[in-house]
Amino acid sequence: MVSTTPKNIFCTGSIIMDISVRCPQFPSVGETMYTSFPYELAPGGKGGNQAVAAARLGGNVKILGRLSTDDYGKELEKNLLDSNVDIQYLTKDEKEKSGVAFVWVNESGENQIICSPAVNTKCSFDDYAKVLHNISPGDIVIITLELPGILLEQIIKLVKEKEGFLILDPSGGDYSRLSPDLMSYIDLVKPNEVEAEILTGIKITDISSQENALEILEKYGVSYPLISLGENGVIYKNNGKIIHLAGQRVNALDTTAAGDTFIGAFAAKLSHGFSIDESVQYGNIAASICVQRRGAQSSIPSAKEVDY
Ligand code: RIB
C-alpha cells in the first residue's frame, strides 16, 4: 500500500566537510605516502549524507543538530538546501568550527576515515527535543552513535514514546552505550559486518554466522535487524523470515556514504508507505549506484536514476 501523505523523516547524525584523497593502498603505521591525485573537498557526515539521500529520493526530510556559521558550514548548508533538505530546525553555532573528516580511498574503493566532528559534538538535548516532541506516529527518525553521551538514550526513548519508527546506524561512536535494553526500542538496525560482531559477539564469516547475529539482534528486541555485506548485498530478518538480497554487480570506485545512501533510500521509500522488503530493495539499488562514483553527497543518486 502506498500512502499519499508521506511520513516525515528526521536525520540526527553529523554534518561534516569531507577532505578525500585517493591512494594506491592504505599507508602502514609510520609510513608517509604520496599520491598523484589532488584532494577533494565535498559535503559529508553521516547525518548530512542520510538526509541528502532521503531527500533526493523523494523523502520529506528535516535535519536536526548543529551547523557552524564558518565557511565550511555555509557550503554544507547550501548543499543541504540544494538537495531539498529542510534545515529550519538546525541550530546555528557562531562559536564552534565545522567538523571535518579525512578520507583515504584505495584502488578497490575501500576507505579509512578519521573524523573531527567539532560543532557536531556540541548538540544539546534541546536541539533535538524541541522538534522530536512533536513528531507523529510513524514518522521516521534516523540516529547514529554520533549522538554524544546520554543524548543517544534520551532521543531513543523520546522517539519511541511518540511512536516514531527508529532506524539506528550503529556507527560513529561508543558502542558500550547500546545496551540490549536500549536496542529493544529500535525498529531497524543496520550494522556492517564489523559492527554486527561488536553488537553480537559473533564474527561474521558465512551465512550461518550472519543468521546467528540476526537472531541475537532480534532477541534484543529489534524488529528488523539487517546486516550490510558490502558487495554481497544485505541480509535481514522480517517477521521471522531471513532474506538475503544479493549485491548488484558493479565496479566500485568509492564506497564512502554507501551505507548512508542505503539508509536514506530505505527511509524515503518506507515514508511513502512501501513495505520493508520493497524499501530494502530500493536502498540496495541506491547504494550500488553510490559506490560507482567518488565522494559522499556528490555520489548519492537521484530518484530518476534509482527508479529507472
Ligand atoms: O558515512 C560516511 C561519512 O562518515 C563520511 O561522509 C564522513 O564524513 C564520515 O562521517
Side-chain angles (χ1 to χ4, degrees):
M1 203 258 305
V2 181
S3 83
T4 41
T5 316
K7 300 290 183 191
N8 291 305
I9 300 169
F10 297 90
C11 296
T12 64
S14 62
I15 308 163
I16 280 182
M17 188 58 86
D18 286 357
I19 302 169
S20 315
V21 70
R22 291 161 67 180
C23 50
Q25 71 267 339
F26 297 134
S28 311
V29 176
E31 182 183 4
T32 301
M33 180 173 281
Y34 291 84
T35 173
S36 52
F37 297 104
Y39 74 86
E40 280 165 28
L41 208 59
K46 295 182 193 306
N49 298 344
Q50 291 160 358
V52 165
R56 280 193 195 155
L57 297 170
N60 187 359
V61 183
K62 294 154 201 333
I63 191 160
L64 313 179
R66 275 191 184 228
L67 193 61
S68 169
T69 53
D70 65 10
D71 288 348
Y72 283 173
K74 286 183 190 125
E75 232 179 287
L76 292 165
E77 175 175 351
K78 180 176 180 312
N79 197 62
L80 290 168
L81 286 171
D82 288 349
S83 302
N84 262 334
V85 176
D86 182 348
I87 63 162
Q88 66 171 306
Y89 302 114
L90 274 180
T91 305
K92 297 284 182 65
D93 193 317
E94 293 180 356
K95 288 199 204 110
E96 301 292 331
K97 282 197 203 159
S98 287
V100 289
F102 301 94
V103 185
W104 324 145
V105 182
N106 71 12
E107 276 176 350
S108 314
E110 299 158 327
N111 63 41
Q112 288 188 338
I113 304 179
I114 297 184
C115 239
S116 168
V119 69
N120 294 281
T121 63
K122 303 295 173 190
C123 294
S124 69
F125 183 56
D126 237 29
D127 289 338
Y128 304 99
K130 62 186 180 199
V131 182
L132 297 179
H133 262 300
N134 296 315
I135 64 171
S136 304
D139 277 351
I140 298 168
V141 181
I142 305 173
I143 57 170
T144 72
L145 296 185
E146 292 173 333
L147 283 169
I150 187 74
L151 265 184
L152 180 73
E153 181 175 339
Q154 290 172 325
I155 288 174
I156 288 177
K157 292 191 169 162
L158 173 58
V159 173
K160 281 333 276 181
E161 189 190 311
K162 299 288 169 188
E163 297 175 43
F165 186 98
L166 204 41
I167 299 176
L168 169 65
D169 175 7
S171 62
D174 173 11
Y175 296 87
S176 66
R177 291 176 300 157
L178 272 182
S179 62
D181 170 56
L182 208 53
M183 291 288 283
S184 70
Y185 292 82
I186 309 296
D187 292 289
L188 184 137
V189 65
K190 187 214 74 70
N192 59 26
E193 291 155 284
V194 176
E195 292 155 355
E197 180 181 351
I198 296 171
L199 294 179
T200 65
I202 293 183
K203 191 164 181 54
I204 308 298
T205 50
D206 53 12
I207 287 270
S208 95
S209 57
Q210 292 161 5
E211 291 183 358
N212 291 340
L214 288 175
E215 201 174 317
I216 291 182
L217 293 169
E218 195 181 40
K219 277 201 182 125
Y220 289 159
V222 177
S223 310
Y224 307 103
L226 179 150
I227 303 173
S228 58
L229 306 169
E231 60 181 354
N232 295 319
V234 296
I235 187 163
Y236 66 105
K237 233 174 157 176
N238 184 358
N239 282 321
K241 197 170 150 207
I242 294 200
I243 301 167
H244 179 212
L245 203 59
Q248 315 273 314
R249 292 281 149 242
V250 296
N251 181 23
L253 288 183
D254 180 354
T255 55
T256 311
D260 300 330
T261 300
F262 174 88
I263 288 180
F266 170 87
K269 202 71 177 168
L270 192 72
S271 73
H272 282 277
F274 286 88
S275 68
I276 294 285
D277 291 341
E278 288 167 316
S279 305
V280 171
Q281 281 161 21
Y282 196 70
N284 205 32
I285 296 171
S288 75
I289 298 175
C290 165
V291 301
Q292 296 176 65
R293 303 165 180 173
R294 297 194 183 279
Q297 288 167 35
S298 48
S299 66
I300 296 171
S302 65
K304 232 181 175 176
E305 294 171 286
V306 185
D307 293 340
Y308 60 92

